[in-house]
Amino acid sequence: MTRVRTKVAVVLAATALVAVSACSSSDTNKPSGTGAAVKNVEVFTWWAAGGEKAGLDGMISVFKKDCSQYTFVNAAVAGGGGDKAKTLLANNLKAGNAPDSFQAHAGGELSDYIANGQVEDITAVFKAAGLDTAFPKDLLDQITVAGKVYSVPADIHRANMVWVNPLVLKKAKLDPAKAPATVKDWIADLAKLKAAGVATPLALSKGFAEEMLLESTLLGDLGVDKFNGLYDGKTKWDGADVTAAINDYKTLVSYSNTDRETMDWDAAMSKYLLPTDPKTATGGYQLMGDWVPAQILSLKMPESSYMYWPAPGTDGVYQWLSDSFTLPKGAKNPEGDKCWLKVVGSAEGQKAFNLVKGSIPARSDATSEGYPKYQQWAMEQWKAAKLAPSLAHGSAGPGAWNNDVQTALSAFSANSDVPTLQKSLVAAAGKYANWRSTVG
Ligand code: GAL
């Protein structure tokens, strides 16, 4: 995003556009060669359970109404952040077995699929559905390469959030509503929790959750401009300020559960932060994206069971990510997918989805009416915040960079070796620094 300074793309060109089949009930879809109508629309995501599934189900309900000539086929593959889904998808795409649509993060992650020629230019679909004016220009830039649009954004999530169990914080006489101003202040509060006998001051899980904690620590310690510089080459990964932030990260991890490598974010949340009986909780905080309120909603736990604030040192910054949907090359039902994409981009589809997903609509015309308290607050924050991208969720860089960082963090979880981690981060940044030039 321009505010983010990680432009994938150039401009959304107002080129001549081909007419697009609309999603009217009179639509039929007869692929050449078979003569048979393709009804199924297979959509691939990692939203298989909890609040994430609730979000997808909301979107599906609008699809069933607006695209009743088609049948939705849910190809969700479980695993937070898409760890398993993305590997399976990559294999399927290579094998020529594409779904009709798949989830990809706007920005670097989408650019992989574009660079590999695995997704179609959907500029015409976009234009026909009036979507070229529906999203903020900054977000359009993240899904556009050389004037061509490649996906439809469904939402905006925020990564730099901390979720708090108020009952646990009270054990150390900490005010759960008061965010520590800096990472160092947060570390001091974690020490207080430990001293008060709290077993797991910080609930942590594997893979992308460790990466989010590292990114939030870098963002809090370096500030937004220097942090953004890590992804556009202006800030050096081998700097002393990065070393200091990695040391803070090491301290934060030392306050977390030792079984972190064995579980996903939702399991860590249920085990430590918010067990069914919150009185039995042994965890004080969890740093996680704002799919957490959706999960809490789906578990039917009251809003009063948790509190939240932006990660220490990152107040006023929205570390954003956006789930978007594509039209893969080789999709069996491109017309059905176009109907799905139209729903994804529509005001009604975005509302049905975001109401229960914790995220806010990507469309600029959305209002906060009817949304839970968290999203109402998030929509306000989004308007005024400075933006930073997330490598863990594909907005800052390509998937291979993300994978290298997660591998390094998994090793760090076992050895706590700061110089080795920093060397790996420097190497990964060096390998992928020029990723933008490989797209389009
Ligand atoms: C992110 C995705 C979110 C949520 C999260 C946890 O990558 O953008 O929508 O699904 O993973 O699984």
Side-chain angles (χ1 to χ4, degrees):
M1 297 199 177
T2 353
R3 284 196 283 168
V4 187
R5 290 195 190 83
T6 58
K7 270 193 195 173
V8 172
V10 214
V11 227
L12 178 66
T15 44
L17 298 159
V18 196
V20 160
S21 60
C23 305
S24 76
S25 53
S26 62
D27 258 9
T28 50
N29 183 32
K30 295 192 168 55
S32 55
T34 69
V38 179
K39 287 200 57 108
N40 288 351
V41 179
E42 186 189 327
V43 177
F44 187 94
T45 69
W46 55 86
W47 296 331
E52 311 196 316
K53 178 174 183 301
L56 180 60
D57 286 347
M59 196 76 97
I60 295 172
S61 66
V62 180
F63 176 84
K64 282 189 175 154
K65 180 169 68 67
D66 290 1
C67 307
S68 55
Q69 69 276 34
Y70 297 113
T71 307
F72 189 91
V73 177
N74 191 340
V77 172
D83 56 350
K84 290 187 198 69
K86 285 185 210 166
T87 312
L88 182 64
L89 177 67
N91 292 338
N92 285 349
L93 292 177
K94 256 195 212 133
N97 184 20
D100 293 306
S101 186
F102 64 82
Q103 165 189 8
H105 288 118
E109 188 179 303
L110 179 67
S111 74
D112 284 340
Y113 299 112
I114 301 171
N116 294 338
Q118 290 166 322
V119 285
E120 298 282 2
D121 162 15
I122 57 160
T123 314
V125 185
F126 221 72
K127 183 90 174 171
L131 296 178
D132 47 338
T133 53
F135 302 108
K137 164 83 172 62
D138 288 343
L139 181 56
L140 275 178
D141 286 345
Q142 301 294 319
I143 53 169
T144 306
V145 170
K148 294 175 183 159
V149 180
Y150 287 92
S151 69
V152 178
D155 64 7
I156 303 281
H157 266 302
R158 187 177 193 178
N160 58 319
M161 288 298 299
V162 174
W163 309 91
V164 182
N165 183 320
L167 296 177
V168 174
L169 259 70
K170 280 177 188 156
K171 289 186 188 159
K173 300 197 169 44
L174 291 170
D175 178 357
K178 195 168 167 274
T182 64
V183 173
K184 290 272 190 285
D185 293 341
W186 194 25
I187 289 172
D189 287 354
L190 286 159
K192 282 182 201 158
L193 281 183
K194 190 97 209 164
V198 172
T200 309
L202 181 61
L204 188 57
S205 54
K206 65 181 173 174
F208 79 87
E210 292 174 344
E211 190 179 8
M212 289 177 78
L213 183 63
L214 174 70
E215 288 196 282
S216 277
T217 309
L218 287 163
L219 184 57
D221 278 350
L222 303 185
V224 63
D225 293 336
K226 270 195 163 179
F227 175 86
N228 287 343
L230 290 169
Y231 295 117
D232 67 16
K234 294 197 181 103
T235 304
K236 297 269 168 282
W237 281 91
D238 58 4
D241 44 3
V242 173
T243 314
I246 299 175
N247 274 303
D248 280 347
Y249 172 74
K250 178 179 171 178
T251 310
L252 291 171
V253 173
S254 75
Y255 285 107
S256 74
N257 42 304
T258 50
D259 60 357
R260 55 188 172 261
E261 286 294 314
T262 66
M263 65 183 69
D264 230 328
W265 69 276
D266 45 350
M269 194 190 108
S270 292
K271 182 167 179 187
Y272 296 109
L273 192 80
L274 285 170
T276 320
D277 177 1
K279 285 198 290 298
T280 63
T282 56
Y285 308 103
Q286 185 170 6
L287 185 135
M288 190 39 60
D290 57 9
W291 35 93
V292 165
Q295 183 70 0
I296 293 171
L297 188 71
S298 80
L299 294 171
K300 299 195 171 34
M301 298 179 86
E303 279 187 347
S304 58
S305 54
Y306 67 104
M307 299 186 105
Y308 47 83
W309 19 261
T314 74
D315 196 15
V317 181
Y318 217 101
Q319 194 189 14
W320 71 276
L321 56 119
S322 176
D323 296 300
S324 70
F325 282 88
T326 58
L327 170 52
K329 288 233 163 89
K332 290 172 201 70
N333 189 356
E335 294 311 311
D337 181 44
K338 285 172 193 168
C339 204
W340 165 247
L341 293 179
K342 197 174 164 195
V343 169
V344 170
S346 70
E348 192 189 357
Q350 299 223 336
K351 185 146 192 183
F353 175 82
N354 288 289
L355 268 177
V356 285
K357 180 67 169 65
S359 41
I360 60 175
R363 291 180 66 100
S364 340
D365 60 1
T367 63
S368 60
E369 207 192 316
Y371 276 88
K373 231 169 63 195
Y374 173 75
Q375 282 102 314
Q376 297 209 6
W377 175 80
M379 282 186 216
E380 279 308 306
Q381 293 264 308
W382 171 247
K383 278 185 211 151
K386 287 192 173 172
L387 300 184
S390 154
L391 186 65
H393 300 286
S395 46
W401 189 349
N402 178 21
N403 291 343
D404 280 9
V405 171
Q406 287 193 20
T407 303
L409 288 172
S410 175
F412 182 82
S413 178
N415 64 27
S416 306
D417 183 340
V418 170
T420 302
L421 174 56
Q422 190 163 10
K423 254 186 236 143
S424 308
L425 296 175
V426 171
K431 235 158 114 185
Y432 305 110
N434 295 324
W435 66 272
R436 282 181 196 82
S437 61
T438 63
V439 190

